[in-house]
Structures are given as C-alpha cells and as structure tokens.
Amino acid sequence: MSTSEYEPPADDEVLRLVQAAISARNHAYAPHSHFYVGAAVLLHGGRIVEGCNVENASYSLTQCAERVAVTTSVAEGHRNFRAIAVASVGGAMPCGACRQVLAEFGMDMAVYTVDVIDGEQKMRLLSELLPDAFSGTDLLP
Ligand SMILES: [Zn+2]
C-alpha cells in the first residue's frame, strides 16, 4: 500500500462523475428489490465508464452497480481508476464486496455517494472504507 499523495478530482470532474452515476441509474435492472443504483468510475485522463445494478431471481447472482462499472471498464481495457460515484436513494455506500473489488485496482480512489432524492453527496477515500484490505499478492512467497 502506498503512502498516499492522492488528490481527489477537481469539482468539475466530480460533477461530471456524479451526473454519470445518476444517469446510469436509469438502466438499473432491479425488479426484485426496486433499489436502483447507478455507478460511474473516473479514469486517470478523464474518461468515465458507467454501470448499474443487475439483479437476478436467484438473488445471490445480483451484481452491484459498482462492480458492473469496474468490470465494464476493465473489459474495455481501462483499469486506472481515480474515483467512483454511486447514486441511489439514501446515498448508499458500496458494500463490502465492492470495496474489495475496488481495492484490487489500488487504494488511491475517492468514493462519492449521492442521494438522488435530496442531492446530498459524501466523499470517502477507499482506504478509509476498507482499512487493512486483503491483498493476496502481499502474501505470496
Ligand atoms: Zn456492492
């Protein structure tokens, strides 16, 4: 883990990122919970990739919006994440599984949440949300 000189994105980039997450929420497939979530990752260089939650009748196969955004980005050849925004009613923070998936690509990442009802935003660093993250590569001989 690096001693961080991480700087969160500028306000205009955060605005763009949050708007992308809100927009991505429109694609959420959540017929079981009706909890619609949009996410967007900001890459170094400014590109934004969106994701939404995709539920499944078996429940356990449900994919969170954050992981969809990350995997879509990786599939497109981009994994230099700088920040992520998550939009939902209530401004939910990423679940534990998503925090670990984000940690795979580095702890220097700002996590923004937005409550789509009142617009309230919060920002946390991933390193705050997942202290002492598991890193299997640290354990290899
Ligand atoms: Zn999750």
Side-chain angles (χ1 to χ4, degrees):
M1 226 163 293
S2 63
T3 51
S4 186
E5 295 173 20
Y6 174 80
E7 286 187 32
D11 288 349
D12 59 326
E13 285 182 298
V14 174
L15 181 63
R16 222 162 45 88
L17 182 65
V18 166
Q19 286 174 338
I22 292 169
S23 171
R25 185 172 170 270
N26 292 322
H27 301 294
Y29 176 72
H32 307 291
S33 74
H34 302 286
F35 188 66
Y36 304 94
V37 184
V41 288
L42 175 67
L43 303 165
H44 287 278
R47 185 186 168 103
I48 288 175
V49 179
E50 299 179 1
C52 61
N53 57 332
V54 182
E55 292 187 346
N56 188 273
S58 73
Y59 296 122
S60 66
L61 292 177
T62 293
Q63 298 173 78
C64 298
E66 300 92 313
R67 276 181 279 163
V68 171
V70 167
T71 55
T72 299
S73 183
V74 171
E76 291 179 1
H78 308 290
R79 54 190 181 213
N80 53 341
F81 303 113
R82 186 170 182 207
I84 185 168
V86 186
S88 68
V89 170
M93 285 286 169
C95 75
C98 285
R99 294 177 193 197
Q100 184 65 47
V101 167
L102 291 168
E104 179 73 17
F105 301 100
M107 300 303 288
D108 288 339
M109 194 181 312
V111 179
Y112 298 88
T113 59
V114 59
D115 182 339
V116 297
I117 300 299
D118 65 11
E120 184 184 348
Q121 285 184 40
K122 291 180 184 165
M123 191 280 270
R124 300 283 186 274
L125 296 174
L126 181 58
S127 55
E128 296 175 87
L129 295 177
L130 193 65
D132 300 322
F134 176 79
S135 173
T137 55
D138 291 349
L139 306 174
L140 294 174

